[in-house]
Amino acid sequence: MRNFCVFLFSLLLINTTAFSQAFVKYTSPIVIKNGQPLRNAWAGGFNSAMFQAIDMNNDGKKDLFAFEKQSESTYPGVFKIRTFINYGSAGDIDYRYDPFYEKLFPQNMTNFCLLVDYDGDGREDIFTYNRSVSGFDVYHNDSNTTGILTFSLQYQGLQTCYLNAGGNCFTTSLYVAPVNQPVLFDINNDGDLDVLTFQISANFIEYHENMAKELFNRTDTLVLSEVNSKWGHMSLSSNANSAILGLPRIPLTSGNADVLSNRHSGTCMIAFDDDGDGDADLLNGDLLGDNLLYLHNGASNNASDSIDWQDTSFPSNGGPVNYVTFPSAYLLDADNDGITDMIVSSCTESQSENLNNNWYYHNAGSNTSPDFQYVKNKFLTDEMIDVGTASMPVFFDVDADGKTDIVIGNKGYFITQSGPAHDEAALSWYKILAQDSVLSLHWCQTTLVLFSNIITKTFILPLATLMVMVMPIYYLAMKTALFITIPTQQAQETFLNIL
C-alpha cells in the first residue's frame, strides 16, 4: 500500500556543493518486527501495484518491477515505480528493494505499465498508457546493446488498422480506456505479439493481429490490424464480472438486452495458456466484481477464439479470489522454481484493499497445467513499514522523555469487514528509544480509541498540527510493535538531524 510516503522522502542523504544539490534515498536503517528484521522496510508499501518480472541488473535472474496506480486526487500526476532485485534461490522468495533502478525507467508513465518482450530478444519492453491519444506507447529495452537497463521510445501512440462497415480499414491509434488493461499475447500462435482490447463501448473484445509475420516474415516488430471486433464469441456482462457466451450465435432479445448492451469501462485482463493446447485462455478482473473470471478458450490454433466455458470463482481449487475492489492478476515466477505463480492486486487506486493486499498464489502445478494455491494476502507488504494511505508525519515528543517521536496520520485503512466499505483513518506513534550505542524507533501498540480521547487522554499535540495531520480522523490505531535500529553516529548524520 501507499504508505509513509512523506516520511520516506525525508530519509535522504543530501550532498551539497557550491553549485549543485543531489538527493539519494536512504534505506539502510534496520527495522525489527517481532524480533525479525523487515527485509524491505523502506519500500513505501503498496495500494494497487502492477507486478512485472524483468532482469534489471543483467545477472540473468528476473527481478521485480512494481508500478503503483495511485489516486491522482491524492497524489496529483504521480504513478510510482518501485524496483526490487531478486536474491532468491530455487523455491525461495527474496526480493530486496533497490531504488537505484527506478530512475532507469521512463518517468512519465501513467495508468498502466506492462512489461512484455515484443521483439523476441529476451528483454522485456514497456507498454504504457498515452493520454493524448487514449492509447499506448511502446518503449524498447535497449539493454542488450548498452549493457545497462535503458529504454527508448519506439512507438508513440501505437497504431492499428480498424475495420469499417465496408470491410476496409483505416489507420489510427489503438484505443485503450484509461481504466482498462489490454492483453498482450501471441493470440494466433505465429510467433509475434498480438493485442486484445475492448471497444469504446466496452462490451466486446477486439482482436488486433500483428501482421509482421504475414507481411514481412518477421516477429520482431508491431504491425497491427483489427481482424475481429467480437473475439471469442462472447461479451462481458453489464452487471457482474461474468461473460455471455455463444455470441453472435444467440439472438438479442429483451431477456438478454441488458447484459449485451454497452457497459462501463473498467476491465483488467490477461492471457495465458492454461491447459497447454496452444491458444489464449483469459483471466479478467472487473470493476463490477471482487472475483477473477476465468474464460477457457476451446478453439484450435487456427480458429484461436472460441470461449466455451467460464469460472467465476477462479481459482476454484486453490482459494477463489475475493478481492476488494477490482482485482487484477499478474503472472510471474515469484519463488524462482521455474513455474509461473500468480499475484492478485487491484486495478484501481480508489476504494480498494490497502492493508491485506497483494495476494500470493503459489503454482503447485506446472506452466502447462497451473494449480494456483493461495498462500498469503500480503506479498512483500508484510516486509514493509505500513501506516495506511496518504500518510502525513509530525515530529513531536509525545511522552515528554526529551526525544522527538513521530506521529503519523493517514487518509485511512480501507475497511470492509464491518458494515459498508469505508476508509478508517488512524494515527501511528513511533517512539524513539536510545540504549547504549543504538538508537531505536519503536512503533507503539494500543487499542482503537475515539478521536476525542486522542487530544485529552493520549496525545497532547498542538491542535493545529492535529487538524492538518489527521482531519477528519475519528479513531486512533496503533499497530504491531516495530523497532528501527541504526548506529548512533549514523543516526545523528542522517536521521536525528532530519527529525
Side-chain angles (χ1 to χ4, degrees), residues 404-478:
T404 302
D405 305 310
I406 304 172
V407 180
I408 308 165
N410 62 15
K411 178 183 177 182
Y413 297 98
F414 191 64
I415 305 299
T416 61
Q417 289 79 12
S418 56
H422 61 284
D423 284 312
E424 193 166 286
L427 290 179
S428 297
W429 171 23
Y430 290 76
K431 175 178 171 59
I432 290 184
L433 302 176
Q435 184 176 2
D436 298 328
S437 61
V438 176
L439 179 72
S440 299
L441 183 61
H442 182 180
W443 188 11
C444 298
Q445 179 179 357
T446 189
T447 56
L448 291 172
V449 296
L450 291 176
F451 177 64
S452 60
N453 290 338
I454 295 175
I455 300 176
T456 61
K457 298 179 182 179
T458 308
F459 291 154
I460 313 300
L461 296 181
L463 180 58
T465 298
L466 280 171
M467 296 302 287
V468 170
M469 189 176 70
V470 301
M471 186 177 186
I473 290 179
Y474 298 100
Y475 293 93
L476 167 66
M478 300 302 185

Side-chain angles (χ1 to χ4, degrees), residues 132-398:
S132 62
V133 299
S134 296
F136 51 86
D137 296 336
V138 181
Y139 289 83
H140 183 261
N141 187 336
D142 299 328
S143 301
N144 274 343
T145 57
T146 64
I148 60 174
L149 189 64
T150 309
F151 298 94
S152 61
L153 182 61
Q154 194 73 14
Y155 300 93
Q156 186 170 16
L158 181 65
Q159 304 234 312
T160 189
C161 199
Y162 275 100
L163 292 170
N164 59 26
N168 299 315
C169 69
F170 62 96
T171 300
T172 188
S173 297
L174 196 162
Y175 172 80
V176 180
V179 293
N180 287 356
Q181 178 179 292
V183 172
L184 307 174
F185 196 81
D186 184 6
I187 299 298
N188 60 348
N189 207 24
D190 67 348
D192 54 22
L193 190 69
D194 308 305
V195 179
L196 297 180
T197 188
F198 282 88
Q199 299 174 339
I200 295 178
S201 61
N203 52 349
F204 295 112
I205 299 175
E206 294 177 344
Y207 170 35
H208 296 261
E209 183 178 343
N210 189 349
M211 308 301 292
K213 179 70 173 179
E214 289 76 6
L215 296 178
F216 308 110
N217 197 30
R218 297 173 56 179
T219 58
D220 61 350
T221 190
L222 296 170
V223 186
L224 298 179
S225 182
E226 183 188 20
V227 297
N228 193 333
S229 61
K230 294 180 177 60
W231 184 89
H233 305 293
M234 55 155 286
S235 171
L236 290 183
S237 168
S238 63
N239 51 35
N241 185 21
S242 60
I244 309 303
L245 306 182
L247 298 178
R249 293 182 290 273
I250 62 173
L252 179 64
T253 67
S254 58
N256 60 27
D258 175 62
V259 294
L260 299 181
S261 63
N262 292 349
R263 67 193 299 277
H264 68 285
S265 292
T267 298
C268 282
M269 182 178 286
I270 63 169
F272 70 121
D273 187 1
D274 180 54
D275 49 8
D277 63 352
D279 55 29
D281 307 299
L282 302 177
L283 279 180
N284 186 63
D286 197 277
L287 195 60
L288 288 177
D290 298 335
N291 62 309
L292 277 183
L293 170 65
Y294 170 77
L295 298 166
H296 178 262
N297 192 343
S300 65
N301 288 344
N302 292 330
S304 79
D305 69 331
S306 182
I307 303 300
D308 55 0
W309 62 271
Q310 62 182 305
D311 179 1
T312 59
S313 299
F314 185 86
S316 297
N317 297 324
V321 170
N322 183 19
Y323 193 104
V324 182
T325 304
F326 194 177
S328 182
Y330 301 97
L331 302 181
L332 55 93
D333 179 12
D335 58 1
N336 299 290
D337 65 354
I339 303 174
T340 299
D341 307 300
M342 181 172 69
I343 310 297
V344 179
S345 184
S346 177
C347 207
T348 180
E349 67 282 3
S350 177
Q351 298 294 299
S352 62
E353 178 64 67
N354 65 1
L355 180 60
N356 298 311
N357 59 355
N358 305 323
W359 294 10
Y360 168 50
Y361 285 78
H362 170 70
N363 187 351
S366 65
N367 288 328
T368 56
S369 182
D371 179 16
F372 296 117
Q373 296 292 318
Y374 173 81
V375 177
K376 62 179 180 178
N377 60 7
K378 288 188 176 183
F379 176 71
L380 294 189
T381 53
D382 57 359
E383 303 172 354
M384 302 176 187
I385 294 176
D386 177 357
V387 291
T389 298
S391 58
M392 176 67 69
V394 169
F395 306 106
F396 182 77
D397 185 2
V398 173

